[in-house]
Amino acid sequence: MAENWVTETYKNIYKMSYKYSQKLFSDQSEFQKVEIYKTEHLGHVLLNDDFMMCSERDEFVYHEMMAHVPLSVHPNPRKVLIIGGGDGGTAREVLKHQNVEQVVMVEIDEMVVKACKEFLPLTASELNSPRLKLLIDDGLKYVKQTQEKFDVVMIDSTDPIGPAAPLFGLEFYKNVFKCTNDNAIVVSQCESPFLFLETQQATLNVFDQVFAKVQIYNYSNITYPGGLWSFAFASKGLDPVMDFRNTVSEGMKLKYYNSQIHKAAFCLPNFQKQALNPYLK
Ligand code: AG3
């Protein structure tokens, strides 16, 4: 019997393939190709434009690290903005914090939301929460125009190619800064130090121009190419390690994040530290 493999090709250098038994969803939206496969090892997986976005098996790593790190540093996060995040995983983790009163999520591609509600129901489980306001809109436009102010902003984006490229730029982050409260924290998906060190430098360079405090923290999962991946962290002054407060509880049933991981994630390998040192403060 023929085998079926779904493949992410990385910079034409190498490929990562996952064996699948069924293609559950495939369509072209206004913005990208959206696909969901049933794989043998990773459960259902979402790919946008042939890039792996998340798998049922390991999405907890990315989503817990994006949400719980900033929410364990900000002293009173009441309003959270998520840019992107259409699969719902980040919103699900944020909403585990009962002091968060409202989450505004601005996802450009409704097809991702609909496909994930149907085929990644555990990831999309909180997309109908009364504390979540989901806007199908362009995040760039939203941060430029909104009068709302947020305590924590999370940029849950794809790679910096195609529609997500401006989400790594200076103009965008100036507008993000404008829609934040005192004490605000911003975190963003920041690629892999092994494969995208220049992107990390460029992103932190932008953060350095806008925010008082700039750091980066690491995690690893099965599905993204390059092994080690990062989130950029910026704030108006709060330090991710010195100002850490333990805000997660057993009831949240976390599978990756804990207080030791929180602190360890900010310890960088030497090659990454050296390359990013000019921007870390
Ligand atoms: N965010 C995408 C992370 C980047 C993955 N890149 C890749 N596979 N080349 C995932 C969205 C999860 N909410």
Side-chain angles (χ1 to χ4, degrees):
M1 212 178 103
E3 289 184 353
N4 295 313
W5 293 81
V6 53
T7 299
E8 168 166 351
T9 302
Y10 185 72
K11 272 191 179 173
N12 219 13
I13 308 170
Y14 71 82
K15 295 173 189 254
M16 283 176 80
S17 296
Y18 312 92
K19 198 171 183 181
Y20 73 89
S21 55
Q22 208 185 341
K23 192 188 256 196
L24 298 169
F25 181 90
S26 178
D27 205 349
Q28 179 74 37
S29 76
E30 196 186 325
F31 307 100
Q32 58 204 345
K33 182 168 74 174
V34 179
E35 292 174 300
I36 298 186
Y37 293 86
K38 182 178 179 183
T39 67
E40 297 210 347
H41 186 58
L42 301 170
H44 294 183
V45 303
L46 166 71
L47 284 91
N48 291 347
D49 279 342
D50 301 310
F51 291 118
M52 175 65 88
M53 293 295 117
C54 62
S55 87
E56 285 182 319
R57 176 87 194 273
D58 72 347
E59 56 92 347
F60 62 90
V61 180
Y62 176 99
H63 293 129
E64 288 184 15
M65 288 300 276
M66 173 156 260
H68 302 301
V69 168
L71 294 175
S72 298
V73 177
H74 194 288
N76 188 15
R78 293 209 299 244
K79 281 193 70 175
V80 174
L81 173 64
I82 301 171
I83 302 291
D87 52 66
T90 299
R92 179 196 65 206
E93 294 305 316
V94 170
L95 289 163
K96 289 180 178 174
H97 292 257
Q98 294 307 323
N99 54 340
V100 172
E101 288 161 10
Q102 195 192 32
V103 180
V104 175
M105 181 170 132
V106 187
E107 164 61 52
I108 201 166
D109 196 344
E110 188 168 25
M111 187 182 284
V112 172
V113 175
K114 285 189 169 156
C116 291
K117 278 187 173 170
E118 188 166 356
F119 296 109
L120 287 175
L122 296 176
T123 309
S125 60
E126 294 300 320
L127 285 176
N128 293 326
S129 163
R131 286 189 291 148
L132 177 73
K133 186 166 146 195
L134 170 57
L135 306 172
I136 300 299
D137 205 348
D138 181 352
L140 288 174
K141 200 179 83 193
Y142 179 83
V143 294
K144 197 166 173 177
Q145 293 175 350
T146 187
Q147 299 302 316
E148 300 222 35
K149 301 262 192 259
F150 297 89
D151 301 307
V152 177
V153 182
M154 302 174 181
I155 319 299
D156 186 358
S157 75
T158 57
D159 299 305
I161 28 178
L167 296 178
F168 290 74
L170 181 60
E171 171 77 16
F172 172 67
Y173 280 102
K174 282 186 174 162
N175 288 321
V176 167
F177 184 90
K178 182 184 65 67
C179 56
T180 54
N181 289 321
D182 292 348
N183 265 346
I185 298 175
V186 176
V187 293
S188 77
Q189 192 287 104
C190 201
E191 306 292 301
S192 161
F194 284 120
L195 299 176
F196 280 111
L197 200 51
E198 328 74 56
T199 306
Q200 297 200 331
Q201 288 173 310
T203 307
L204 295 195
N205 184 16
V206 165
F207 274 33
D208 182 30
Q209 293 173 64
V210 180
F211 299 97
K213 187 102 209 142
V214 178
Q215 295 287 317
I216 190 160
Y217 61 101
N218 291 336
Y219 65 96
S220 49
N221 70 12
I222 322 176
T223 48
Y224 297 163
L228 196 62
W229 277 65
S230 312
F231 290 106
F233 177 105
S235 80
K236 291 185 171 175
L238 287 165
D239 182 277
V241 176
M242 309 277 273
D243 294 311
F244 167 71
R245 301 160 317 116
N246 205 353
T247 60
V248 300
S249 61
E250 230 153 76
M252 292 182 180
K253 298 213 179 335
L254 306 185
K255 290 189 276 185
Y256 190 88
Y257 178 86
N258 58 43
S259 57
Q260 282 107 338
I261 290 273
H262 181 105
K263 292 175 193 152
F266 287 89
C267 299
L268 307 178
N270 290 345
F271 79 93
Q272 186 187 21
K273 199 176 358 182
Q274 262 154 26
L276 302 180
N277 211 28
Y279 317 106
L280 300 175
K281 56 186 181 180

